[in-house]
Amino acid sequence: MNLLSPTPDWTPLHNRFYCKADLYSLLWRDIDLSKHLVAAASLGGPVALIRNDAKSLALSTSLGAKQTLYVYSSSGKLINNIQVSAHLYHPGRIVRMFWSSSEQLVCAVDAGTIRVLDCWGDAISFSLGSDTRDFGILDVVVSGKGLVAMAGNFRLYVVDSLAEPRPRLLPDAGLSAQPHAWAVMSPLHTSSQQPEVLLAVKSTLLLIDGLSVQDLRIPGGPFTSIAISPNGKFIALFTSSGRVLVVSSDFQKQLAEFNTGNTQTPIQMAWCGNDSVTLHWEDFLLVVGPFGDCIRYAFDGIVTLISELDGLRILTNDRCQFLQKVPAATEDVFKIGSTAPGAILFDAFDHFGRKSPRADENIRSITQDLPTAVDTCLEAAANEFNSTRQKALLRAASFGKCFIEGYNTVKFTTMCETIRVLNAVRRFEVGIPLSFAQYCQMTPEVLVGRLTQRCQHSLALNVCTYLKMNPSRILVHWACTKVKNIAGSSTETLLQEITAKCSSIGIPVSYIQIAKTAYQHGHTKLAAQLLDHEPIAAHQVPLLLSMDQDAQALDRALASGDTDLVYACLLHVKRKHPMAEFFRILKGKEVALTLVEVYARGVGDVQLLKDFYYQDDRKSEMAGVLLVESFELSQLQSRINKLRDAQRLYQESKDHVFEAKALEDQIKLLQLQATLERETGQTFLDLSVSDTLYKCIVLGHANRATKVKTDMKVPERRYSWLKAKAIVEQRNWDALDTVSFSSRLVYS
């Protein structure tokens, strides 16, 4: 078992140990990091490289040549190369690159533009404002999901989210020259929940938030380098005198101080986890601990440091290494002379393998601490990068749990699954060297998403199957990728391949994004065929409408039985097409036609109702609409014209003789009332026949009343009653007696 001990690679730093593990011998060749602008993502993410030496830049500028941006995995395997064309970045050059938390590459162009790319070159761009357009961009620092940029006039712009870039200007610090160094505190680690900028100016530090500029008055300056710990609790400062100061993030305490003896500003200063600060000068690294001790590591030339929450990834020209403080569980098991339960259990398993009776003695000595010992071995196995030691530790844990009555094996099986996933993504073909702590912070869902982004679909599906996760988004991304690269295969073959793969997992898969991708790449027929397999109509309809498949969209909406969805579809089609085309699309769809009628009546859209009845040749309903419309008109002749149109429509049907006659009488009455108004100066319009007669008699226009009676064919008896009622109103009792006698009216 001594061959399994990692302690020969451990280096003491005060009361703790550090180890530097070789992760990969890089697959790239002839790469000199000193001649490239380098951006490496945390959490085992990809590495982006672009030539940045003066000779290369001068050549590309003079010839107008394209530069190539290379994206590699951490193992040096090429993921993609992106041609940086002049029209995308002209008239500037890339001054800074970094990876966002979602593994998007952010490129800052000195001409004032920010470009955000994925691993495959799909990009969006935005400008930070007039200052950056006029003065350019000097530098950019990542801040959570956003960034902070320094313009050429030394003003600071913050973008809170790269997904929705809304640049805003921070308060003016009054700078007349570029600061010695600067850094940004993530909004996750500030009390204001906003990015806070640290500027090393002259001999002090300035703190800038969204509202003010504060002089922190930290002694010991000027400061030429600043680094913030991954947990945001500590800030490392390198002074011009060669000292490293570590202060709390609230700047109330100085926690450590170390004199490096080197006044030259380090090429890079980064945190190794949250425990120590690493400074890089050409040809060596210096790891400074919290108690005034240090470790020196020699390197050839320039390296790149990537700070992780539990260590430091080191990228050289030919190797990728991981420097970290030895995890507590690993130290408990392997530290020379350790008497921790985990070490005793591991030793007991060693003796058991050699059939030594000391195995039983060791187990008995830690009977009460066996659960702790098993957990320690499991955690140590998870923290290991060496698969041989992983197996030995897992076997020791399995051996120990056999002596624990009622041991819950869920933790053991879960840890075995986790280790298997970690080993799979660490393979050089994939190149994601995650530690256990990084995996826990990232979560399996994010890991699967990143594998999917890199088009590692097979591995992502295997991980989902193994961890019992929903693989639908992986299949959607895989299908979209296949659609984008359809050139060599027919759409029918591809459709069958996609549907067979998506139906094989036994979980409904949304085809919307796949269909949208097919449509965007000019495969409209394939998009429509893919939508046939989409189970949710509310997702189908909007895309069909955007594809100009209006009739098909309406059919899907009607089949769903969702009235709101049908109305949304109908209104979209109505706005888009002329009325004749709209009704042509609706032809034969009785439910849709009924809903159109209900809608038009509900909102009072008379014109839509008229068009609807006209195209359907429903003359009586059309006449009813004209009749209602006539009542809303104030001009008499217009009303009469509407009524005549309605009368004409009623006359065309044998079933509406009464309505036609009634409208004829109404027109005649309106004309008589208009004549009475002209002759008497009184108001008669909109009165009934009886009210018109009554008013004429009351006003003393007996002859005119007689004419109305004759023209409107009012019965004699009814006319007599109206006349008697009018005489009573006039209090003319003699005339009433005459009328009642001549008409033989009976009063009850």
Side-chain angles (χ1 to χ4, degrees):
M1 283 287 191
N2 290 333
L3 295 175
L4 292 174
S5 176
T7 53
D9 297 326
W10 293 3
T11 305
L13 184 66
H14 191 62
N15 61 349
R16 58 195 67 189
F17 294 92
Y18 278 75
C19 62
K20 180 163 63 71
D22 282 334
L23 299 177
Y24 303 107
S25 178
L26 297 177
L27 298 176
W28 68 41
R29 293 290 180 268
D30 303 323
I31 295 291
D32 184 353
L33 296 180
S34 64
K35 296 181 179 180
H36 289 78
L37 191 62
V38 183
S42 60
L43 299 176
V47 180
L49 301 173
I50 189 169
R51 291 277 292 193
N52 197 37
D53 58 305
K55 183 177 180 180
S56 172
L57 290 174
L59 180 64
S60 61
T61 302
S62 62
L63 299 180
K66 295 180 181 180
Q67 281 189 292
T68 302
L69 176 66
Y70 296 95
V71 180
Y72 293 94
S73 70
S74 290
S75 62
K77 181 181 179 182
L78 182 64
I79 297 176
N80 192 23
N81 51 47
I82 303 166
Q83 295 297 316
V84 181
S85 56
H87 77 278
L88 292 178
Y89 295 91
H90 184 78
R93 63 182 181 87
I94 298 175
V95 295
R96 181 74 69 189
M97 298 190 303
F98 63 86
W99 292 90
S100 70
S101 57
S102 57
E103 280 199 356
Q104 290 181 304
L105 182 62
V106 181
C107 301
V109 183
D110 62 357
T113 304
I114 302 292
R115 294 193 63 81
V116 184
L117 306 89
D118 62 13
C119 289
W120 308 104
D122 295 331
I124 61 171
S125 64
F126 58 91
S127 173
L128 293 176
S130 57
D131 282 351
T132 57
R133 285 194 296 269
D134 296 338
F135 300 100
I137 295 177
L138 291 179
D139 201 1
V140 174
V141 175
V142 64
S143 168
K145 296 181 179 179
L147 58 84
V148 178
M150 181 179 291
N153 61 350
F154 313 117
R155 295 299 303 274
L156 296 171
Y157 286 84
V158 61
V159 175
D160 295 309
S161 173
L162 293 171
E164 297 179 357
R166 295 187 179 91
R168 55 187 175 89
L169 190 63
L170 289 179
D172 188 3
L175 301 181
S176 58
Q178 191 167 356
H180 305 307
W182 68 302
V184 179
M185 299 176 66
S186 169
L188 298 175
H189 304 137
T190 61
S191 57
S192 64
Q193 304 297 309
Q194 297 290 328
E196 295 182 359
V197 182
L198 290 173
L199 296 177
V201 179
K202 297 180 180 178
S203 296
T204 187
L205 280 180
L206 300 180
L207 177 64
I208 304 176
D209 57 21
L211 300 175
S212 63
V213 179
Q214 179 184 357
D215 188 347
L216 298 175
R217 303 186 185 280
I218 303 294
F223 306 104
T224 59
S225 191
I226 304 173
I228 301 172
S229 66
N231 63 7
K233 294 182 179 180
F234 313 113
I235 298 174
L237 307 170
F238 185 82
T239 70
S240 59
S241 60
R243 292 181 301 122
V244 177
L245 303 180
V246 177
V247 298
S248 60
S249 59
D250 59 2
F251 304 99
Q252 300 301 310
K253 297 178 183 178
Q254 180 174 313
L255 304 174
E257 181 176 348
F258 180 82
N259 190 354
T260 66
N262 190 343
T263 58
Q264 182 183 1
T265 301
I267 297 171
Q268 191 176 356
M269 182 169 71
W271 280 84
C272 180
N274 297 298
D275 306 288
S276 58
V277 180
T278 305
L279 301 98
H280 167 44
W281 287 276
E282 190 169 359
D283 296 331
F284 75 94
L285 292 182
L286 194 67
V287 181
V288 178
F291 301 105
D293 297 339
C294 69
I295 305 172
R296 183 185 178 102
Y297 292 101
F299 286 91
D300 292 332
I302 304 297
V303 301
T304 297
L305 307 180
I306 306 101
S307 185
E308 304 282 7
L309 77 152
D310 61 340
L312 183 74
R313 195 149 45 103
I314 304 170
L315 202 65
T316 71
N317 290 338
D318 57 1
R319 304 194 76 78
C320 179
Q321 300 176 323
F322 187 60
L323 174 66
Q324 67 172 158
K325 185 184 78 169
V326 175
T330 304
E331 187 174 340
D332 284 346
V333 174
F334 292 111
K335 183 179 178 181
I336 297 174
S338 174
T339 57
I344 295 174
L345 174 59
F346 191 73
D347 186 58
F349 179 66
D350 178 26
H351 287 295
F352 177 76
R354 290 188 280 126
K355 299 181 180 180
S356 169
R358 285 192 59 188
D360 182 64
E361 295 175 13
N362 287 354
I363 290 294
R364 290 181 184 277
S365 68
I366 57 170
T367 302
Q368 300 300 321
D369 297 320
L370 265 177
T372 302
V374 171
D375 290 346
T376 300
C377 287
L378 286 175
E379 188 175 345
N383 288 322
E384 274 295 336
F385 284 87
N386 184 292
S387 60
T388 304
R389 280 196 289 270
Q390 286 175 354
K391 293 175 184 178
L393 288 163
L394 288 174
R395 286 169 181 160
S398 179
F399 174 71
K401 72 182 178 65
C402 296
F403 298 95
I404 303 174
E405 186 176 353
Y407 179 78
N408 187 352
T409 59
V410 172
K411 184 173 183 179
F412 182 85
T413 55
T414 301
M415 194 63 79
C416 290
E417 291 173 352
T418 299
I419 292 172
R420 186 173 180 183
V421 170
L422 287 173
N423 288 341
V425 300
R426 287 170 182 166
R427 290 184 297 114
F428 75 91
E429 296 92 340
V430 182
I432 303 180
L434 282 177
S435 67
F436 177 63
Q438 294 166 24
Y439 174 79
C440 292
Q441 186 194 50
M442 176 185 282
T443 72
E445 290 76 14
V446 175
L447 175 59
V448 167
R450 295 194 174 181
L451 288 171
T452 305
Q453 285 181 3
R454 297 193 192 185
C455 294
Q456 296 278 353
H457 300 113
S458 179
L459 178 57
L461 280 172
N462 289 339
V463 170
C464 281
T465 303
Y466 191 61
L467 299 181
K468 299 178 177 60
M469 296 166 56
N470 187 344
S472 58
R473 61 173 176 156
I474 304 168
L475 290 174
V476 169
H477 190 278
W478 165 81
C480 290
T481 305
K482 297 285 283 186
V483 168
K484 291 176 184 177
N485 301 286
I486 198 174
S489 59
S490 68
T491 57
E492 291 297 331
T493 304
L494 182 59
L495 176 65
Q496 293 175 6
E497 184 180 359
I498 291 174
T499 54
K501 192 73 172 178
C502 291
S503 60
S504 65
I505 63 172
I507 300 173
V509 176
S510 175
Y511 287 79
I512 290 300
Q513 187 59 44
I514 310 172
K516 188 180 295 185
T517 302
Y519 177 66
Q520 290 170 349
H521 286 75
H523 307 297
T524 305
K525 182 180 178 182
L526 176 60
Q529 291 172 327
L530 286 166
L531 282 176
D532 290 337
H533 299 275
E534 171 58 40
I536 303 175
H539 294 166
Q540 290 178 317
V541 172
L543 183 56
L544 285 169
L545 291 174
S546 67
M547 293 165 53
D548 297 328
Q549 303 290 321
D550 297 332
Q552 194 174 355
L554 185 56
D555 289 339
R556 299 291 170 81
L558 290 169
S560 72
D562 186 343
T563 306
D564 292 337
L565 183 62
V566 177
Y567 273 131
C569 185
L570 287 171
L571 292 175
H572 175 87
V573 176
K574 177 178 176 291
R575 286 191 300 268
K576 184 177 176 182
H577 295 283
M579 199 56 66
E581 179 65 16
F582 171 64
F583 286 116
R584 189 194 65 77
I585 295 173
L586 265 60
K587 187 176 182 181
K589 299 177 175 62
E590 295 301 326
V591 175
L593 290 169
T594 302
L595 288 175
V596 169
E597 182 180 7
V598 171
Y599 168 79
R601 288 187 179 278
V603 300
D605 191 338
V606 176
Q607 186 59 47
L608 178 58
L609 267 178
K610 288 162 63 177
D611 292 336
F612 173 72
Y613 292 138
Y614 177 78
Q615 62 83 30
D616 205 27
D617 199 25
R618 293 164 63 175
K619 297 180 180 178
S620 59
E621 287 85 350
M622 179 73 167
V625 173
L626 293 173
L627 180 59
V628 172
E629 192 177 8
S630 71
F631 293 137
E632 298 175 356
L633 299 174
S634 57
Q635 189 178 2
L636 178 62
Q637 190 56 47
S638 298
R639 289 177 63 183
I640 292 174
N641 291 339
K642 288 287 182 185
L643 290 173
R644 282 176 176 160
D645 291 340
Q647 179 192 12
R648 196 160 44 246
L649 290 172
Y650 279 131
Q651 286 174 341
E652 294 180 10
S653 173
K654 296 180 179 179
D655 297 330
H656 296 89
V657 176
F658 170 77
E659 287 87 349
K661 180 60 179 173
L663 285 179
E664 181 183 352
D665 292 343
Q666 179 65 20
I667 294 170
K668 189 185 298 181
L669 176 62
L670 287 173
Q671 292 172 335
L672 287 171
Q673 289 173 338
T675 302
L676 289 172
E677 285 188 352
R678 286 196 305 272
E679 293 176 351
T680 64
Q682 299 292 322
T683 302
F684 283 91
L685 280 177
D686 294 327
L687 296 178
S688 65
V689 175
S690 297
D691 289 344
T692 303
L693 288 170
Y694 174 78
K695 189 169 184 178
C696 284
I697 297 170
V698 169
L699 294 174
H701 302 298
N703 293 334
R704 294 187 175 91
T706 303
K707 177 173 176 51
V708 172
K709 167 183 172 292
T710 303
D711 290 349
M712 300 306 299
K713 299 179 181 178
V714 178
E716 188 64 38
R717 185 174 180 80
R718 181 181 174 193
Y719 177 72
S720 298
W721 275 108
L722 291 170
K723 188 175 182 181
K725 184 178 177 182
I727 292 172
V728 170
E729 177 70 21
Q730 294 172 332
R731 298 292 192 274
N732 188 347
W733 309 117
D734 293 337
L736 178 62
D737 185 59
T738 303
V739 170
S740 60
F741 178 77
S742 61
S743 302
R744 298 179 181 181
L745 294 176
V746 179
Y747 301 97
S748 56

